[in-house]
Amino acid sequence: MRKMFLVAGLTAAFMLLVVAASAEKTSFAGTWGLDKTKSQGLSQRMMGADKVTLTITQDDKTISLDTKIEGGQPPAGGGGGGGGMGGGRPPAGPTTYNLDGHEVTSDVTFGQNTGKRTLKATMSGGTLELMNKTSFTGPDGTERVNATTQKLSLAGDGKTLTVVTHREGGQQPTPDSTAVYNKQ
């Protein structure tokens, strides 16, 4: 009888450890430098930049991403565009997502337009999916929606971050890109 209780207790303890280990979230936190030679579909601004740095801060509840593009020239006629994690215009400052899986909606203003921005993060295995959708009414009265989905994954050694980006709406010449970053 004692052996049965001992075996049952050890089995329960082992199962608890397995569940606890699988419940841990992957940490993407750190400073990451873009490796242009391994990346595809990047904006002209990112490809022409001297240095692109992605800084990720993460705790149990949120993750924030901030991209800094240094040097190079903006594309002709395009102003200072480029950025984000694969192309398009970078956000002003870091973008913060809740890690509880719930959407967060906020009001945004750009130029004379106002709209709604919806952010959502979901973790599946070791991949973090970030959804960023902005909807607004254009000057002609039509509703416009720009949506970006990014899938972040780490290499087994934790030293390489891959960000696969898909965009819908907007004026990006390449809606899909893959940016590869090395931990600094």
Side-chain angles (χ1 to χ4, degrees), residues 108-125:
V108 291
T109 303
F110 26 176
Q112 296 179 3
N113 295 320
T114 58
K116 296 278 184 198
R117 174 193 251 180
T118 304
L119 301 173
K120 182 177 181 181
T122 52
M123 183 77 79
S124 177

Side-chain angles (χ1 to χ4, degrees), residues 79-150:
M85 287 191 292
R89 189 172 297 280
T95 303
T96 302
Y97 298 82
N98 287 335
L99 291 172
D100 63 6
H102 290 92
E103 289 185 355
V104 175
T105 302
S106 60
D107 293 325
V108 291
T109 303
F110 26 176
Q112 296 179 3
N113 295 320
T114 58
K116 296 278 184 198
R117 174 193 251 180
T118 304
L119 301 173
K120 182 177 181 181
T122 52
M123 183 77 79
S124 177
T127 301
L128 176 65
E129 184 172 307
L130 304 174
M131 186 272 300
N132 183 337
K133 182 169 89 173
T134 305
S135 59
F136 61 96
T137 303
D140 60 358
T142 60
E143 183 179 14
R144 298 184 181 170
V145 177
N146 296 331
T148 302
T149 303
Q150 298 171 315

Side-chain angles (χ1 to χ4, degrees), residues 11 22 38 47-48 60 71 79 82 87 98 105 108 112 115 131 133 142 156-157 163-164 167 176 183-184:
T11 302
S22 66
K38 295 180 181 175
M47 286 303 295
D60 290 340
N98 287 335
T105 302
V108 291
Q112 296 179 3
M131 186 272 300
K133 182 169 89 173
T142 60
D157 63 4
V163 181
V164 177
R167 289 179 187 72
D176 298 314
K183 193 148 198 176
Q184 297 185 335

Side-chain angles (χ1 to χ4, degrees), residues 10 21 43 64 76 85 100 114 133 145 152 154 157 168 174:
L10 289 173
S43 70
S64 296
M85 287 191 292
D100 63 6
T114 58
K133 182 169 89 173
V145 177
L152 286 69
L154 289 172
D157 63 4
E168 294 179 13
T174 308

